[in-house]
Amino acid sequence: MEDQEQQKELIKTLVKMSRYTIYIACIAVACIAIVIVSMLNTGLARKDAIAVTASNNIPAPVAATSVVNPSLSIPKDAWKAPDDNTIPTGETGDAIRYGRELLAHTAKYFGPKGSIATITNGMNCQNCHLAAGTRLLGNNFAGFISGYPKLSNRSGKFEQPAERIAECFERSLAGKVPDIKGKEVQAILAYMKWVGKGVEKGQKLFGNATEKLPFMDYAADPAKGKIVFAAKCQSCHGANGEGTLAVDKISYIYPPLWGKHSYNDGAGMYRLTNFAGFVKNNMPFGATYQNPQLTDEEAWNVAAFVNSQPRPHKDQHHDWADLKKKPIDLPFGPYADNFSEKQHKFGPFKPIKDAQKN
């Protein structure tokens, strides 16, 4: 009898241990499942972000690492875009939201298959003004409204903000100008006014427009830039700079960097000092001011390569009537100096800058 009782107790103990083991195993399985799902979701999110399709046979872009350069600090009082919760209700709020939509998905409304008009190249405004113009050093709109009206050295006349928007349609979007008094341009202005609220005229802002990289002592090299492009850029923008179209074929996930659907040679991005700084702080995918993926030299060189490729031409013979105010990196003469068009395009720029001071 005693042996039987001991056996019963042993069986009970074993059952309890089995149940405990199963319980622990279930918890372990659940934890593993959570980790796997998390990893899958992260992968899917990244896949959505880079939007690379196997059908196009495009390799995934090289993402930025998580290493932050501690020497590149962002001021605590640096400008920040207003929170969406501050968008007012009613017609004003509707205009602001519509303006942002137009900037983010310009091609949907004005591109080759636009629902309002077919007057642009298919790029979106936020291809050059990142996150609808809210990103530091990504051509943001923080000081846009407060900066107007102002004298434009390019046109030689005082311009209103709507006229500057019109120029972007003609140059960066290589297209035609929509009605600047119409609903769409007015909505864009409403959005820009909201984005830049609180910014005073002449206020110095960290991260406004694009960073001006230090000049090199030698010219930027398109041949070296081609190597950088192949390693860091073509996975998104295509081997021939053609960009990556969205599934709907209406707009680009990643914009074309040259060719008939890219910005023309009158756009701000055609100037190397603009493009190099933009690339340094924003490209390739995931790069930031504090976490750049290119050296200054690589940024200059890849900018030189991209802007040495064919693109639409913009008649600019009426621009820059005062040659002394012409930017040093415009590769179209005439100039107020004796430097060549090639040097004005690729540098070195310091000698040109020094000559302007004399």
Side-chain angles (χ1 to χ4, degrees), residues 15 30 99 139 144 159 176 178 190 199 205 213 223 229 250 275 287 309-310 349 356:
V15 169
N139 263 339
F144 180 80
E159 289 186 348
K176 298 178 182 178
V199 177
L205 297 169
L213 300 181
F229 181 86
I250 293 176
F275 197 7
Q309 303 305 305
F349 296 114
Q356 287 184 343

Side-chain angles (χ1 to χ4, degrees), residues 15-38:
V15 169
K16 289 181 180 180
M17 291 179 64
S18 297
R19 289 176 179 173
Y20 181 75
T21 302
I22 293 171
Y23 177 70
I24 295 298
C26 288
I27 292 176
V29 170
C31 290
I32 294 171
I34 290 171
V35 171
I36 292 173
V37 169
S38 177

Side-chain angles (χ1 to χ4, degrees), residues 60-270:
V62 179
T65 65
S66 59
V67 178
V68 174
N69 188 336
S71 66
L72 300 174
S73 61
I74 296 176
K76 293 182 179 179
D77 61 348
W79 173 83
K80 292 182 180 179
D83 192 276
D84 283 1
N85 293 331
T86 66
I87 297 178
T89 58
E91 293 183 3
T92 300
D94 292 342
I96 291 170
R97 282 183 281 269
Y98 185 40
R100 178 169 58 187
E101 168 68 11
L102 290 166
L103 292 170
H105 305 106
T106 319
K108 177 180 177 181
Y109 302 95
F110 293 110
K113 297 181 181 180
S115 60
I116 295 175
T118 55
I119 57 174
T120 69
N121 56 10
M123 292 178 68
N124 299 317
C125 293
Q126 74 171 7
N127 290 145
C128 297
H129 302 279
L130 300 183
T134 63
R135 182 170 175 173
L136 291 179
L137 296 167
N139 263 339
N140 64 61
F141 297 131
F144 180 80
I145 291 295
S146 65
Y148 285 87
K150 70 177 182 181
L151 176 64
S152 168
N153 291 328
R154 181 164 61 189
S155 67
K157 65 178 184 179
F158 274 91
E159 289 186 348
Q160 299 295 330
E163 294 175 285
R164 181 66 186 87
I165 292 173
E167 290 180 352
C168 281
F169 271 84
E170 289 184 317
R171 296 167 185 269
S172 297
L173 298 178
K176 298 178 182 178
V177 181
D179 180 6
I180 61 174
K181 294 182 180 180
K183 176 182 177 181
E184 281 65 40
V185 172
Q186 294 305 307
I188 291 173
L189 288 171
Y191 171 74
M192 290 179 170
K193 183 177 180 179
W194 172 77
V195 165
K197 66 180 181 178
V199 177
E200 302 294 333
K201 190 174 184 65
Q203 181 178 342
K204 298 296 182 182
L205 297 169
F206 173 84
N208 194 34
T210 59
E211 182 183 10
K212 299 302 180 184
L213 300 181
F215 293 143
M216 298 193 297
D217 294 330
Y218 41 88
D221 189 336
K224 292 181 179 178
K226 183 177 182 179
I227 297 173
V228 177
F229 181 86
K232 300 285 188 178
C233 312
Q234 76 173 25
S235 59
C236 291
H237 297 285
N240 297 310
E242 70 276 17
T244 302
L245 272 171
V247 175
D248 61 14
K249 305 298 182 182
I250 293 176
S251 62
Y252 288 93
I253 298 170
Y254 298 109
L257 297 182
W258 63 84
K260 65 179 182 179
H261 294 294
S262 188
Y263 56 88
N264 64 35
D265 58 16
M269 282 297 187
Y270 193 63

